[in-house]
Amino acid sequence: MKYFLAYALSFLFSTNIFAQDSAVHKRPKIGLALSGGGAKGLAHIGILKALDSAGLKVDYITGTSMGGIIGAMYAVGYSADSIEKLARKIDWDLLLSNQLSLRNVTMEEKSEYDKYDVELPWVNNWFRISTGYLEGQELWLKFAELFHSVYKIKNFYQFPIPFKCIATDISTGEAVVLDSGELITAVRASMAIPTIFTAVDYKGKKLVDGGVVRNFPVKDVKKMGADFTIGSNVTGELLSSDKVNNALQVLLQIAFFRENEDTRAEVPLCNIYIPFHLEKYSMGSFSETDKIIDIGIAEGRRLYPVFKKLADSLNAIYGDQQIIKPEIPEEKPIKISSVEVTGLQRTSEDFFLHSMDFHRDHFYSLSSLLHMVRRAAGTRYYSRVNYSLQPLPDSSCKIIFDVTENALTYAKINIHYDQFNGIAAIFNVTSRDLFTPNSRSLVTVSVGNNFRVKAEHLQYLGRLSNFTFTPSVQFDNLSITTYSRYKEAGLYAENYLKFDGKFDYSTSRNITFGGGTRAEFISYQPSLTSSLEFQGNNRFATSYIFFKHNTLDRVIFPRRGVKIDAEVDYVFPQDPEVKIHLSTTTDSSFSNDRYQRVLFNEEGYIQLSRKSSILANSQAGINFNYANNIMNEFVIGGLINTFHNQITFAGLREGTIYSPSVAELQLGYRYQIFNNSFLTAKANVLFNNFFTTSSFFNAPDFLSGYALTFSYNFALGPIEVSAMYCDQVHRVIGYVNIGVPF
């Protein structure tokens, strides 16, 4: 039968015979083996729930890859219910990437984080092509959180349930049974899928995923002492010859030969064998977490009578066995009395420890330890920061940081397209400590229909590097379409040059404020004339103070958090040389008086479920006492923010309307319809002319509009196709955006 009930019944019969001399025969030991399988391994949770419900005590556990992760959690004291709750709420996209949560990146780095399609490190005097390996920083930190309760235990036999996991020695191709050392490292090694995750150094060996050679470790749980074995296997058979249709399938078929051969040998060792049929899902189907867990729970319910009968029979023969699932100990702060840092080559130990605000002989909770690691990684000097705790005789601990540094210099490439900028190739070179210590310098160039270039030097100051000074220069050459009564009317070439210098102070990774001064030079030259034609240039200096707050969880398609940019400006007297032509009339009666302005932009996200979020955005720009000034208006239109003074509005193209005072409110709803595919609906309203009205531009007092966007997030960034509608225009407009803008 499917679950090898014959094995179970014969075992129970033998235990009745053994029971005649209970003084000689001890209660049989139950072993549980959990296979690897990536996302499919989450189905194991349903089997654990059935075992808990039936009251069947597990004495030994082995697992490979995802089976090792779930098995380790069960072994150290997590109940099946708690494992299920954790698995359903985990952000798998973040865990299985090289990215930190945006919340942990320093405020000064957020604008450049996760922005480019390709990042090439400068190694050995040349830009090296990335291996594509994932260090899995957030995955490691999640393991550190889950297994913190057993940081003192280095022998896995001493867990509440003795445990082993399986990895593969990359140098010999042999299976390695991990039963001692750092549990976090062992579990991370067991699931290090080759070509996806980096190999793990463990006791002098370099290890990768145990599924390469032993994906279903039944023999190992028997060697631990199990008399009766339960095996849960989520991997399927090899493809039949008629289904192997391309080169990739041939390679995968060959890669799984050895694993499949080993699994065939392991299956007969099970007394209860549980094969899952999950052909609809792959190892990477983490977006289907809930469905896979539900399949496992359904299978567990079908198996419950078998587990219950086995538990009742053993209790009848050997006496009731009270199962007390050990509670995860309450977390207590740990005194760290000494520290060791390995792996540093380009940065100093002092810089590393200061980046975390680490102090010796202080007490640290688990959350503060994880926060420190994320602080260090958030500087972007480090690609991986792991730690282990070694108990000392005085009840304090030594902490050992194992660090992998990023290269100091990267070349970055991005491709972007939207209907305003056209297609552009964006090139960036970012270098740290190039001119001065504790600094970041970059140059970004956008080559396409619009040419743009920016150079910036960011200098960190202070022990915690929370003060910064940033001088920068930027030049934009933009082609701007002008509109008359919402119809295209002309074309202008705008040149915009900005010199800027600012000081920042960051109170945390999410808040910064400061001030600065910039000099701006703007010129307009008409290419195609319109009813409102103006040409010339203006130059002015602006002093400003600003406040920034950013708790978004990611750069692309954030699901929760708030981002606020607020700025108050004082614009000094200008020096305009501009001619404005209104039909046949020439007008040069503009003001060069100083004025004040306020800019505000807020975007927020509330996650309703794993697949849906509410979006809210508000924007405002006000030029006070601006009626007869020119060349610093707010430019209304477009769905993405790409140039200075822009106010986005669903329903209009960029540059449709110019206004000196504008406020916009937008609400939206986004739903993930497929893996990496989203549908977003937006509605917005906009108010003009409520403080100042321009003497040169005619802007309506009120606008309302809508947009429906289909998005797909792939390796080269988001692809977004939108349909927009404005109530005042009465026309549906298409909009396409590909990639992240300049």
Side-chain angles (χ1 to χ4, degrees):
M1 294 177 64
K2 180 179 180 181
Y3 306 116
F4 285 0
L5 291 181
Y7 284 98
L9 293 174
S10 64
F11 175 79
L12 293 175
F13 178 73
S14 66
T15 56
N16 276 288
I17 297 174
F18 291 154
Q20 296 175 10
D21 189 358
S22 59
V24 177
H25 299 286
K26 297 181 180 179
R27 187 185 187 96
K29 300 293 186 181
I30 306 296
L32 176 64
L34 305 176
S35 77
K40 295 189 290 185
L42 296 170
H44 294 313
I45 296 171
I47 305 306
L48 298 181
K49 287 174 68 73
L51 291 170
D52 281 354
S53 297
L56 183 60
K57 181 180 183 297
V58 174
D59 298 290
Y60 305 106
I61 299 177
T62 58
T64 297
S65 197
M66 181 59 79
I69 297 170
I70 292 173
M73 293 178 66
Y74 197 66
V76 303
Y78 287 92
S79 68
D81 285 342
S82 61
I83 296 173
E84 178 194 359
K85 291 176 183 177
L86 285 166
R88 289 188 188 274
K89 71 178 184 180
I90 281 177
D91 185 348
W92 292 102
D93 289 340
L94 177 62
L95 254 60
L96 302 174
S97 73
N98 259 349
Q99 303 301 326
L100 287 168
S101 170
L102 187 63
R103 296 179 177 186
N104 297 311
V105 178
T106 61
M107 281 294 291
E108 299 76 22
E109 298 282 352
K110 288 181 191 286
S111 61
E112 291 291 314
Y113 189 66
D114 198 22
K115 186 176 179 180
Y116 296 93
D117 303 328
V118 179
E119 298 190 4
L120 306 176
W122 179 266
V123 179
N124 296 328
N125 300 316
W126 192 247
F127 289 110
R128 176 174 60 86
I129 296 176
S130 175
T131 62
Y133 286 169
L134 301 181
E135 290 284 359
Q137 176 70 71
E138 280 296 323
L139 180 65
W140 191 93
L141 291 174
K142 176 56 69 174
F143 289 162
E145 177 186 339
L146 295 175
F147 302 127
H148 178 75
S149 62
V150 293
Y151 76 88
K152 294 181 179 179
I153 302 176
K154 309 303 181 183
N155 183 344
F156 303 168
Y157 274 86
Q158 296 175 3
F159 293 158
I161 303 175
F163 169 75
K164 292 182 180 181
C165 60
I166 313 299
T168 302
D169 188 335
I170 200 171
S171 62
T172 65
E174 297 300 321
V176 179
V177 179
L178 308 177
D179 57 9
S180 62
E182 296 295 331
L183 177 61
I184 300 168
T185 306
V187 171
R188 170 67 175 81
S190 181
M191 52 77 63
I193 303 169
T195 75
I196 297 179
F197 286 97
T198 52
V200 174
D201 293 322
Y202 187 90
K203 296 184 178 181
K205 298 179 179 179
K206 194 169 285 291
L207 305 181
V208 295
D209 196 315
V212 174
V213 292
R214 192 178 303 160
N215 196 52
F216 190 37
V218 183
K219 66 177 68 172
D220 300 287
V221 81
K222 292 187 74 69
K223 288 180 181 178
M224 293 177 75
D227 302 298
F228 187 92
T229 59
I230 301 169
S232 179
N233 183 14
V234 298
T235 57
E237 296 289 332
L238 292 172
L239 295 174
S240 59
S241 58
D242 61 313
K243 294 183 179 180
V244 181
N245 299 318
N246 56 54
L248 178 60
Q249 289 175 332
V250 171
L251 291 174
L252 290 174
Q253 194 86 333
I254 294 172
F256 291 141
F257 276 165
R258 187 173 177 186
E259 174 205 322
N260 189 261
E261 180 182 358
D262 183 79
T263 298
R264 288 179 183 274
E266 303 278 352
V267 170
L269 302 177
C270 297
N271 297 100
I272 298 179
Y273 173 58
I274 309 166
F276 280 91
H277 300 287
L278 297 167
E279 290 79 6
K280 289 174 56 178
Y281 305 97
S282 69
M283 295 176 62
S285 297
F286 287 96
S287 62
E288 305 293 340
T289 289
D290 291 338
K291 292 181 181 179
I292 294 172
I293 292 175
D294 290 341
I295 289 172
I297 291 173
E299 191 72 4
R301 289 195 183 109
R302 286 192 287 271
L303 282 165
Y304 171 79
V306 177
F307 294 153
K308 181 63 174 172
K309 185 174 182 179
L310 179 57
D312 291 345
S313 298
L314 290 173
N315 289 337
I317 297 168
Y318 297 99
D320 288 343
Q321 183 180 37
Q322 187 177 8
I323 300 176
I324 302 176
K325 194 71 175 176
E327 293 184 2
I328 302 297
E330 182 180 350
E331 179 204 332
K332 295 181 179 179
I334 302 166
K335 183 179 181 181
I336 309 287
S337 57
S338 62
V339 61
E340 178 183 341
V341 185
T342 63
L344 295 179
Q345 296 177 349
R346 307 179 188 92
T347 56
S348 68
E349 182 172 309
D350 281 347
F351 176 82
F352 173 75
L353 296 177
H354 288 166
S355 72
M356 297 188 294
D357 195 19
F358 174 81
H359 300 272
R360 292 176 177 83
D361 295 320
H362 275 57
F363 284 87
Y364 290 98
S365 64
L366 169 62
S367 59
S368 60
L369 288 174
L370 299 181
H371 177 68
M372 285 196 312
V373 170
R374 290 188 173 105
R375 279 185 63 91
T379 65
R380 306 197 69 189
Y381 276 90
Y382 310 102
S383 63
R384 179 181 60 85
V385 180
N386 297 348
Y387 72 83
S388 59
L389 296 169
Q390 291 186 355
L392 299 176
D394 63 355
S395 298
S396 68
C397 282
K398 176 182 181 180
I399 189 167
I400 301 174
F401 292 104
D402 182 21
V403 179
T404 300
E405 295 173 312
N406 282 319
L408 290 179
T409 301
Y410 278 83
K412 307 177 184 182
I413 305 169
N414 188 34
I415 302 296
H416 176 253
Y417 171 82
D418 66 69
Q419 280 136 307
F420 175 77
N421 291 286
I423 190 162
I426 303 173
F427 303 95
N428 170 279
V429 176
T430 299
S431 186
R432 300 182 187 278
D433 303 345
L434 178 64
F435 302 112
T436 56
N438 303 340
S439 67
R440 183 209 67 195
S441 304
L442 63 82
V443 175
T444 306
V445 179
S446 176
V447 180
N449 294 359
N450 293 327
F451 176 79
R452 310 178 74 178
V453 61
K454 175 182 178 181
E456 176 182 281
H457 179 79
L458 174 68
Q459 182 65 56
Y460 290 100
L461 304 169
R463 177 183 178 274
L464 302 180
S465 299
N466 49 358
F467 286 94
T468 61
F469 171 63
T470 311
S472 65
V473 58
Q474 180 173 335
F475 174 75
D476 298 343
N477 175 244
L478 306 177
S479 295
I480 300 178
T481 301
T482 60
Y483 293 81
S484 176
R485 297 182 179 179
Y486 310 115
K487 295 181 180 180
E488 295 183 10
L491 185 65
Y492 279 76
E494 174 191 305
N495 290 325
Y496 174 73
L497 177 63
K498 176 180 71 173
F499 296 94
D500 195 0
K502 64 177 181 176
F503 284 94
D504 296 29
Y505 173 67
S506 297
T507 60
S508 68
R509 292 297 161 97
N510 302 321
I511 295 177
T512 190
F513 59 89
T517 297
R518 58 179 174 258
E520 298 172 84
F521 303 82
I522 306 174
S523 70
Y524 285 90
Q525 184 66 39
S527 301
L528 297 175
T529 59
S530 63
S531 58
L532 173 58
E533 177 184 313
F534 63 101
Q535 63 182 8
N537 58 74
N538 194 9
R539 46 189 176 270
F540 49 89
T542 303
S543 289
Y544 59 91
I545 58 174
F546 64 88
F547 171 81
K548 296 178 183 290
H549 175 61
N550 190 336
T551 60
L552 300 184
D553 59 338
R554 59 180 67 179
V555 175
I556 301 172
F557 301 127
R559 295 176 298 181
R560 51 187 176 272
V562 176
K563 179 182 178 183
I564 297 174
D565 290 307
E567 183 177 301
V568 177
D569 296 353
Y570 182 88
V571 182
F572 293 95
Q574 306 100 69
D575 187 15
E577 297 177 359
V578 184
K579 290 184 178 180
I580 297 180
H581 303 277
L582 296 167
S583 299
T584 59
T585 303
T586 301
D587 190 342
S588 300
S589 58
F590 44 81
S591 172
N592 62 356
D593 291 341
R594 65 195 68 193
Y595 57 92
Q596 301 77 41
R597 60 193 330 240
V598 173
L599 301 91
F600 179 82
N601 186 17
E602 176 275 337
E603 57 179 296
Y605 302 83
I606 300 174
Q607 186 173 9
L608 300 178
S609 67
R610 187 182 291 272
K611 292 190 174 185
S612 61
S613 299
I614 291 177
L615 294 62
N617 175 237
S618 58
Q619 302 171 81
I622 304 171
N623 288 332
F624 298 95
N625 305 314
Y626 186 84
N628 292 317
N629 296 85
I630 199 166
M631 286 195 177
N632 210 9
E633 297 81 14
F634 299 100
V635 186
I636 298 169
L639 287 177
I640 58 171
N641 200 307
T642 62
F643 55 90
H644 76 288
N645 281 354
Q646 182 185 2
I647 300 291
T648 59
F649 183 79
L652 299 177
R653 295 206 185 280
E654 293 91 343
T656 302
I657 294 172
Y658 289 72
S659 174
S661 59
V662 56
E664 182 259 6
L665 176 64
Q666 180 183 101
L667 293 175
Y669 176 78
R670 185 173 65 216
Y671 183 77
Q672 182 177 336
I673 50 178
F674 307 112
N675 190 25
N676 290 323
S677 300
F678 305 87
L679 196 63
T680 306
K682 296 179 181 178
N684 50 200
V685 294
L686 184 143
F687 302 90
N688 282 311
N689 307 318
F690 51 88
F691 269 101
T692 307
T693 302
S694 173
S695 300
F696 309 108
F697 295 99
N698 182 22
D701 292 338
F702 176 80
L703 290 168
S704 56
Y706 319 89
L708 184 65
T709 302
F710 171 79
S711 308
Y712 178 71
N713 191 23
F714 79 128
L716 297 181
I719 298 176
E720 299 178 296
V721 179
S722 305
M724 302 190 298
Y725 181 81
C726 177
D727 290 320
Q728 288 69 35
V729 179
H730 306 295
R731 186 170 70 248
V732 176
I733 303 173
Y735 194 90
V736 177
N737 174 68
I738 301 175
V740 179
F742 180 86

